[in-house]
Amino acid sequence: MAASAAMIKNVGGTEIKIRHRASCHCGAVVLELHLPEGIVDPRRCDCSMCRRRGAVVASVPLSGITIVQGEASLKLYQFNTKTAKHYFCSHCGIYTHHQRRSNPDQYGYNVGCLEGVNPFDLGSVPIKDGVNHPADRKA
Ligand SMILES: [Zn+2]
């Protein structure tokens, strides 16, 4: 478990609101994220999925995401152990959020979908070792 850094409540001049909207590229899917602690644990991951997707991801509890609009436009993608649930917009293809495999009580979400947030303003973010995923280790 990585130590939690200082709370990220401002990114490049955009204040992270307690209830912050996020959307896909075409706008069909709109989420409301509950971010009382700002952007928590932003990271990249090098698993087979994330290395292609390339998004900076942060975490919220499952209760932290409300789908405001476009639930029918979301497509579910699963692979391998089918524990994680990856959602993306079926129109524009943008990944919005996923139910995590390493912690199914949390969603990861695409920091780049947050309204007004440019993830490049976060600077460098930690890279999670998704190739050697804890859930893949067999006794
Ligand atoms: Zn879309």
Side-chain angles (χ1 to χ4, degrees):
M1 175 77 75
S4 61
M7 284 202 267
I8 301 167
K9 294 201 163 186
N10 191 300
V11 180
T14 296
E15 186 197 342
I16 304 303
K17 298 191 279 261
I18 288 173
R19 296 199 175 274
H20 204 107
R21 292 259 167 138
S23 61
C24 68
H25 189 259
C26 73
V29 178
V30 179
L31 310 175
E32 187 182 79
L33 283 86
H34 187 219
L35 302 175
E37 291 168 27
I39 297 174
V40 174
D41 190 22
R43 61 200 180 270
R44 292 181 186 277
C45 167
D46 64 357
C47 81
S48 62
M49 173 85 194
C50 297
R51 82 167 80 122
R52 288 169 169 81
R53 183 163 69 191
V56 173
V57 172
S59 299
V60 285
L62 293 187
S63 60
I65 291 185
T66 308
I67 298 167
V68 176
Q69 181 187 303
E71 187 158 12
S73 297
L74 282 172
K75 280 277 278 182
L76 170 65
Y77 176 65
Q78 294 188 280
F79 63 98
N80 193 9
T81 63
K82 305 221 162 50
T83 312
K85 295 183 166 79
H86 298 269
Y87 294 98
F88 62 96
C89 174
S90 56
H91 305 292
C92 66
I94 293 299
Y95 150 72
T96 53
H97 64 296
H98 73 282
Q99 188 171 358
R100 299 182 62 196
R101 187 159 72 113
S102 53
N103 185 349
D105 296 331
Q106 288 185 333
Y107 283 125
Y109 66 92
N110 186 347
V111 172
C113 288
L114 288 173
E115 228 163 52
V117 171
N118 179 350
F120 290 92
D121 288 333
L122 288 169
S124 67
V125 297
I127 295 167
K128 217 182 73 174
D129 184 2
V131 171
N132 301 298
H133 197 283
D136 287 334
R137 277 178 213 137
K138 304 274 188 299

